[in-house]
Amino acid sequence: MAGFEIGWFLTIIVGGFAGWMAGKFLNMRFGIIMNIIIGIVGAVVAAAIFRRFGVMVAGDWLGFLVTSFVGASLLLFVVKLIRR
C-alpha cells in the first residue's frame, strides 16, 4: 500500500472492525481491544504476504480493510489450530 497514509486513528477503527469481522467469520470472539490488535497485526502480516507474492491491493481505506480482514482471519485461523 505504497503512497497511502491511513493515520493512526483510522488504523485503529478499520483494524478493529476488520478484527471483529474476522472473529465473526471464524466464530472466535476476543473483545474490542484484542480485535483492534488482531486487525492491525493482521494488516501487517497480510501486507507482507501480499507484497511477497506481488498482490497489489487498492491504496485506500477499503484496501486496508480487505488486507486487515485477510490478515486477521489468517491469524485467527492459526490460533484456532493451536488451541485444538
Side-chain angles (χ1 to χ4, degrees), residues 1 5 8 10 16-17 20 35 41 43 45 54 67 69 78 84:
M1 289 193 256
E5 296 292 324
W8 287 105
L10 197 54
F17 185 66
W20 174 79
N35 284 347
V41 172
V45 169
T67 303
F69 176 75
V78 169
R84 288 185 178 189

Side-chain angles (χ1 to χ4, degrees), residues 4-16 61 64:
F4 180 71
E5 296 292 324
I6 193 167
W8 287 105
F9 182 71
L10 197 54
T11 298
I12 291 170
I13 299 298
V14 174
W61 69 270
F64 186 76

Side-chain angles (χ1 to χ4, degrees), residues 1 40-55 57 67-68 70-71 74:
M1 289 193 256
I40 293 171
V41 172
V44 172
V45 169
I49 292 170
F50 286 175
R51 197 174 313 121
R52 174 77 173 129
F53 291 107
V55 176
V57 179
T67 303
S68 298
V70 169
L74 286 171

